[in-house]
Every structure is written in C-alpha cells, then in structure tokens.
Amino acid sequence: MSRHSQVRQASRLQQRLEALNTARELAEGILPGPELQAVYEVLERASSRRSLSAGHTVVGFFGATGSGKSSLFNAVSNTSLATAAARRPTTSAPLAGIWGEQDSGPLLDWLDVQERHVLPAVPGLASEDSGLILLDLPDFDSTAVANREIVQRLAGMVDVLVWVLDPQKYADAAVHHGFLRPMASHGAVTLVVLNQIDKLNDVDAAAVMASLEGILDRDGLGGVTVLGASAVTGAGVGEVRGAIERVVTQRDAVTRRLSADVDGVAAGLTAASGTGEARGVKGSATARLAAELATAANVPVVVDAVARSYRLESARRTGWPAVRWLLRFRADPLRRLNLGRKDVRPDLNRTSLPAAGAPERARTDAAVREFADTASEGAPGPWRASIRNAAREGREQLPDALDQAIAGTDLKASRRPAWWMLFNVLQWTALLLAAGGLGWLGILALLAYFQMPVPDVPRTEGWPWPTLMVAGGVGLGIALGLLGRIISGWAARVRARGAGRRLRAAVAAVANQRIVAPVDAGIKRLRDFNAALKDARS
C-alpha cells in the first residue's frame, strides 16, 4: 500500500473515532451503560495503539487446548520457543517473537508481554527489520481463569488475529460463540487456520474445510481467509507465512483493526439505540400546547377580570359624582387576583388565582404528553423515552413558572385614558350646573317664604333658567353616564383583548422554555447522534 493511501486511511480513521466519541457523548444517560463502556474502551485502545509504533504489526495466535497452536507458532516462526514455553514454570504468560526490535518495547509493554525474543529472518515471513511481532498465547479454553483473561484482553489489542482450529473441535461453540461471532466485523484482520490436516485424507480435509467455511459464514465471517496446515508435516505452513507476510507488508493492519473495532461498537450502538428520526416540533403542535396551558393557567379568568376592572374604574372616574363614591366599596377584580398593582414584584409575589385542581392538572398533563408524543414520533425507543422525560420534567415546573409569567405580564391596568378626564370634567360641570340651578331655585323659594320681593328670573322659551340649569345638569349627567358605559364597555373589550394577547404570549414563552426547548433539544440530540453514528460507521 502506498504511503499516500496509508495517510488517507489514517485520516479517515481519525474522523471516525471523533464521530464515535461524539455519538458516545450524545448517548450518555440514554443508552445502556455496557454499550457506552465498550465504545469508551475502543476509543482508549485506539488512542493508545496509535501513539505506539506504527511500524510494527502484532499478530496473535489463538487456539483451544489440543489445537496445535504452539506447534504451528513454532513451525511458522521456525523456532522452538513455544515448546520451551510449555515447560516453563509459568505457562500462562504469552511470548513474543520479534522481527525488528527498535521501538517494539513500549508496544509490548502496553500489551503486557514480558517474554520477548528477537528472531532471525524467516524466508516467506519476515526479515530482521520487518516490524513483525508474533505472539503465542495461552489456550482460550484453559481451566485457569487468568489464562482466559489474557486471551480475552489480547484478542481486543492485537492487530491481526490468527485462529488455530483442529479437525476435532473446529465447530466448538466456545470459540465461535465466545470469540469469532462477536468479532464478525474483524474479518479483514482475521486469519483462520485448520491445523492438523495431516490427520485427514484429502476427501475428509475438503469436507471439513467446506464445513468450517459454512460455519464462519454463519458467524458473519464469510470473507475471511481460511487455510489448511500441518505443523507436523509442514503442509500449508508456507501459505500461513505468506498470508502473514502480506499483512505486514501492506502496513495497514493497525488501521484496519481499529476500523473493525469502530465498526463493531458502532453496530452495538445502533442495536441499542434503534434507527429513525423524530418527527420534530411543529408550529401547530406548539400553538395547541400554548393554548391548552393558557386555559389551564386561568388566562380567561384574568382577561375577564381585566375587562371588569376597566369598567369598574371607568364608572369610578366618569360616573355621576354624587353617587360614584359608592363604587369605592366594590373590590377591584384585578386586585382580588393580586394583579395590576405597580408595587408587585413577579419574582417575589404570586397571584391569587385559584390553584389548579384535578381537571386543570389532567388537562396540562394531557397537553404536555400529546406534544411530546407528537414531536418524538418516529424516534427509537430509548430516545423517545428521553424526549418524553424532558417534557415531563418541564411539566413539574409549569405551575410556578406560569403563575410568575402571569404576575409579570403588563396588563396596562394603570393606564388612564384621556376620555376619563374629559368625562370627569363634564360630569362635574353638569353637577355644578344642576347644583347652581337648585341653589337659585332654593333662594327664590326662601325669598317667597319670607314674603320678600322675588326678582324675576330670566327665561328661555318660557322656561326659567334655574329650572333649565337643573334639568340640563341632571340630563347631561345621565347622558354622560350612559355614553360612558358604552365607551367603557368597548374600551374594556379592547384592553382585555390586548391583555389576553400579552398573557398568551407570556404563557407561550413559558411553554417554549419549559417544554418546547427541552423537547427540541432532545430531538436535535438524536439527530446529531444519528449523524455522528453514520459517520462513524461509514
């Protein structure tokens, strides 16, 4: 492989690792812990392996007891190291054959392989500086727990996996279910060797090889290289060496191994997450939610109180002065709700609106649930549950938030329209006019009572001015009162509509902050997760 291709593959791997890490971070708290832990381990392993020697390819020999794994290792490496290892006091430790010692130390330290042997060139396998590290490992079906742990650890760390099987146990479920099938995505860095074919005749060997290939195909490793060999007779050993040499020469085993790791955990994340995108937040659904919350938060009650408060204040300001003072004894509808006062701080005070009862709570719950269900439609199970939970958490904060929003809404209750002043002046003028007429008539009556001269009073069309003044003042007051009621009724409706709009806007803002925004964030999180996971898989 050319240097340019290697750089391109390494760059693409880096992008995939970054995308995988993004997907992991987005899935925290949503997907199960084991899948996320597996992703974390792959990321850590990739970071460590890429920081170590890129000029070495680590090839591990894995096999069950009696498969002839160590004998094949010796035959391939043209040594007797594994045989000697079997007679060592500690047989659970892996050993390494090294071709190209420089920079191999830190890599073997990371692999925790202590027994190391620098080997001479082997034709068809490696030269002294090829950069090949061949590992002979304990049996994966060993009764010693420590041995199995070593095999499981190194199966996740070596660059190339060579599985050594024998004709008697090649279909053993322990190797297929425990190792091969879970690593189906690693076919590009996996080599399967059927050892001890010298024990079979040609017909049986072909049948066993065909059976093994069928089993591997069902394991998801249909494209893996399968070779027959005999460590005793040397048959097929050259082909095994050639396969390993080709991998080492291509210099891309590390990248392909880590790419396979990414494929495996990405597939696990996909299985845990499920596929699909949420429908998303729609304007119509948001409007329905805001309307339901406005009703549940008693916005209609406040709007009605605004209208009644305006009409009451209008009557107090523009009514007949002689009787309007009686209206002072009537409680203002807005004040009864602790609304409309300038000295009220919404962050400290609350309204006196009736607390939400069971019907209101049920209506709010239903509105929030319907909104979350509609917005999360199409999302995979874990993500849909997360989106619903976000809406449910916001629902718990709604009562106080809505009450505070209503308390903080400017209802324009302190505004005094100009027509109030005009009508007030006219009403007092009418009252003074009637009072002046009554006083004039009273003086005339008093003079007549005491038999004193009564002066003539001016007349218009035969009507005495004092009488006209009384009639005009009273009539003007009644007319102003009726007209004021008509104007105040119309103005109250206008003010109530304006207050309703502002209250509904405040409720919509609360709905957006407490419900819509968290739900939308959950949907965006799913969208970003799917995008990151897609980039990691590709």
Side-chain angles (χ1 to χ4, degrees):
M1 175 176 290
S2 68
R3 176 65 178 171
H4 179 71
S5 297
Q6 292 176 10
V7 172
R8 186 171 61 251
Q9 284 193 3
S11 176
R12 178 58 188 142
L13 174 61
Q14 179 62 31
Q15 294 174 1
R16 295 183 65 195
L17 290 169
E18 291 174 357
L20 182 64
N21 187 50
T22 299
R24 179 191 65 83
E25 291 174 346
L26 291 169
E28 286 286 352
I30 297 177
L31 298 187
E35 281 74 10
L36 298 181
Q37 180 61 29
V39 173
Y40 180 78
E41 290 172 357
V42 165
L43 293 170
E44 286 291 298
R45 188 160 62 243
S47 176
S48 298
R49 181 62 184 94
R50 297 179 81 204
S51 68
L52 298 168
S53 175
H56 284 84
T57 302
V58 182
V59 180
F61 273 54
F62 300 82
T65 303
S67 65
K69 165 181 58 62
S70 296
S71 297
L72 184 63
F73 175 91
N74 287 335
V76 170
S77 62
N78 197 25
T79 65
S80 59
L81 292 175
T83 303
R87 295 195 295 268
R88 292 195 309 273
T90 303
T91 60
S92 62
L95 65 86
I98 306 168
W99 288 267
E101 183 179 13
Q102 186 176 0
D103 297 329
S104 65
L107 178 56
L108 288 168
D109 290 341
W110 177 65
L111 294 168
D112 195 20
V113 176
Q114 302 303 319
E115 185 168 354
R116 311 167 186 182
H117 302 272
V118 180
L119 301 178
V122 176
L125 177 66
S127 62
E128 286 87 345
D129 58 354
S130 291
L132 169 63
I133 298 177
L134 209 61
L135 299 182
D136 182 43
L137 305 171
D139 301 330
F140 63 75
D141 60 347
S142 172
T143 56
V145 175
N147 287 7
R148 294 198 302 271
E149 290 177 348
I150 290 173
V151 173
Q152 290 172 345
R153 177 176 61 83
L154 288 175
M157 299 175 75
V158 300
D159 303 324
V160 180
L161 304 101
V162 178
W163 295 98
V164 182
L165 308 177
D166 64 89
Q168 288 74 37
K169 296 189 292 183
Y170 72 91
D172 190 357
V175 63
H176 289 278
H177 294 171
F179 291 94
L180 290 173
R181 187 170 297 175
M183 302 190 72
S185 62
H186 293 69
V189 291
T190 298
L191 177 66
V192 177
V193 180
L194 181 65
N195 194 23
Q196 302 177 3
I197 60 170
D198 56 296
K199 296 182 179 180
L200 304 172
N201 58 42
D202 292 344
V203 175
D204 290 342
V208 171
M209 289 286 285
S211 174
L212 174 58
E213 289 174 353
I215 295 173
L216 291 173
D217 185 59
R218 291 191 292 274
D219 288 339
L221 291 165
V224 73
T225 300
V226 181
L227 299 173
S230 171
V232 175
T233 66
V237 172
E239 285 76 7
V240 176
R241 288 174 178 168
I244 295 174
E245 182 187 34
R246 285 191 295 274
V247 172
V248 174
T249 302
Q250 289 175 351
R251 298 293 184 187
D252 65 344
V254 174
T255 300
R256 295 172 74 179
R257 166 60 204 253
L258 295 177
S259 295
D261 288 344
V262 173
D263 287 337
V265 293
L269 279 185
T270 302
S273 168
T275 57
E277 294 283 359
R279 178 181 179 183
V281 174
K282 305 298 181 182
S284 57
T286 303
R288 285 197 303 273
L289 173 66
E292 289 295 330
L293 293 184
T295 301
N298 292 306
V299 167
V301 174
V302 178
V303 170
D304 179 67
V306 168
R308 291 189 292 113
S309 174
Y310 185 89
R311 287 194 295 267
L312 177 61
E313 192 64 21
S314 293
R316 289 173 176 173
R317 301 283 179 178
T318 65
W320 182 248
V323 295
R324 71 170 65 166
W325 61 273
L326 294 173
L327 297 176
R328 300 293 176 185
F329 296 102
R330 292 180 58 182
D332 186 290
L334 278 180
R335 299 298 190 275
R336 293 178 64 182
L337 299 178
N338 199 27
L339 294 170
R341 291 163 45 193
K342 291 183 179 180
D343 59 340
V344 172
R345 290 184 57 186
D347 56 333
L348 299 177
N349 298 82
R350 290 295 181 265
T351 70
S352 297
L353 286 165
E360 289 78 16
R361 290 195 299 271
R363 185 167 188 165
T364 301
D365 290 342
V368 172
R369 185 168 55 251
E370 179 187 1
F371 175 80
D373 288 347
T374 301
S376 64
E377 184 179 350
W383 293 92
R384 191 168 195 186
S386 174
I387 294 169
R388 288 170 171 171
N389 287 338
R392 191 177 301 115
E393 290 175 4
R395 161 66 186 90
E396 300 301 322
Q397 304 166 359
L398 278 179
D400 283 344
L402 289 173
D403 191 84
Q404 189 171 350
I406 291 175
T409 301
D410 184 7
L411 302 177
K412 310 296 184 183
S414 60
R415 292 182 58 184
R416 297 182 181 181
W419 73 272
W420 283 4
M421 183 177 296
L422 175 63
F423 271 55
N424 187 47
V425 171
L426 293 177
Q427 283 284 25
W428 278 106
T429 300
L431 178 61
L432 292 176
L433 183 63
L438 286 174
W440 196 344
L441 291 175
I443 292 173
L444 294 176
L446 188 62
L447 290 174
Y449 180 78
F450 287 105
Q451 300 296 311
M452 295 178 67
V454 178
D456 293 333
V457 296
R459 294 175 180 270
T460 299
E461 298 292 334
W463 291 89
W465 281 17
T467 303
L468 291 176
M469 289 172 63
V470 173
V474 173
L476 179 60
I478 294 173
L480 288 172
L482 293 174
L483 182 59
R485 289 176 65 88
I486 294 172
I487 296 176
S488 68
W490 170 82
R493 289 192 295 273
V494 172
R495 177 168 287 190
R497 282 196 297 270
R501 285 193 298 271
R502 290 187 293 275
L503 287 167
R504 284 187 289 273
V507 169
V510 171
N512 183 73
Q513 179 184 10
R514 305 292 181 178
I515 306 297
V516 179
V519 167
D520 195 44
I523 293 171
K524 183 180 183 300
R525 188 176 180 182
L526 169 60
R527 186 165 56 248
D528 293 344
F529 169 83
N530 284 338
L533 191 56
K534 179 181 178 181
D535 196 28
R537 287 197 307 262
S538 60

